[in-house]
Amino acid sequence: MPRLSPQTKPAARIENEHIETHLLHGSYVVRDHLAKMGKNCRYFGKIIESGAHQNSIQMILDNRIDASAIDSWVLELEIIKNPELASKLRVIDTLGPSSFPPWMISRLVPVELRRRIKHLLLEMHLDPVGLSILDKVEISHFSATEDRDYDPIRKMAQSAEKIEWAEI
């Protein structure tokens, strides 16, 4: 995924249907890349799952790990909040692109309320207050998606599943 700038803000996606949450597992981008290289997890000396991109950034800064796959949007936001990170971190490769993760809502929420929330999110960029909120997280607007929009993630997940992955 390319690094973001104010000119290339993503459009966040709102998912209409169910998507398997395991498809969005953070290691899948790396595992897919390893599969394409014909490698497995032994390619790395040690694997540690931090649980969040921000945790991974902190682990790099604390010299507890040498490298990590960080979502470019998360990295951009962290650099906006903490500009000195730009001089402390170096992008060594770019993997992807990956779709923007979907926003999900429980099926227990009444249908009419779900529709209203979706409408408000899709129109948020048209309201000055909503646009201000979106600007703070470097999102230009939300857009509706279809289940098929996540087929590339499913394909990546199938490739990634072929690679053993465990903390070693």
Side-chain angles (χ1 to χ4, degrees):
M1 189 171 197
R3 284 187 40 97
L4 304 176
S5 69
Q7 294 78 34
T8 60
K9 291 179 186 178
R13 298 183 182 271
I14 298 176
E15 180 63 37
N16 291 325
E17 298 296 328
H18 172 73
I19 184 169
E20 298 83 358
T21 56
H22 73 276
L23 294 181
L24 303 175
H25 189 277
S27 72
Y28 278 8
V29 173
V30 174
R31 290 165 65 187
D32 176 58
H33 185 69
L34 288 174
K36 289 175 182 169
M37 291 175 24
K39 306 288 184 187
N40 61 32
C41 71
R42 303 280 181 237
Y43 179 79
F44 301 110
K46 186 175 182 180
I47 295 172
I48 299 170
E49 292 191 15
S50 72
H53 297 288
Q54 292 87 345
N55 294 347
S56 296
I57 291 169
Q58 191 58 53
M59 291 171 79
I60 291 169
L61 296 173
D62 294 343
N63 292 314
R64 293 187 286 159
I65 58 174
D66 297 316
S68 180
I70 307 292
D71 181 276
S72 62
W73 182 59
V74 173
L75 180 59
E76 185 80 15
L77 290 176
E78 292 302 310
I79 289 172
I80 288 168
K81 290 191 301 189
N82 191 353
E84 73 260 9
L85 285 177
S87 66
K88 295 179 178 181
L89 301 171
R90 181 171 63 99
V91 175
I92 57 175
D93 201 355
T94 301
L95 309 179
S98 295
S99 300
F100 200 95
W103 283 58
M104 309 295 281
I105 191 166
S106 170
R107 291 190 186 270
L108 298 176
V109 175
V111 173
E112 187 52 41
L113 181 56
R114 282 188 269 158
R115 282 190 194 122
R116 182 73 182 132
I117 291 170
K118 180 178 178 179
H119 174 76
L120 289 171
L121 289 171
L122 291 173
E123 302 282 321
M124 188 174 179
H125 67 287
L126 302 175
D127 176 80
V129 174
L131 184 59
S132 173
I133 293 166
L134 291 171
D135 282 345
K136 289 177 184 173
V137 292
E138 295 294 311
I139 293 175
S140 63
H141 64 283
F142 289 103
S143 63
T145 62
E146 301 295 329
D147 187 64
R148 69 178 177 271
D149 293 330
Y150 291 92
D151 287 346
I153 291 178
R154 290 183 183 95
K155 184 177 178 185
M156 177 184 62
Q158 289 172 345
S159 171
E161 286 291 333
K162 297 175 186 171
I163 302 297
E164 170 193 358
W165 194 258
E167 290 192 18
I168 55 176

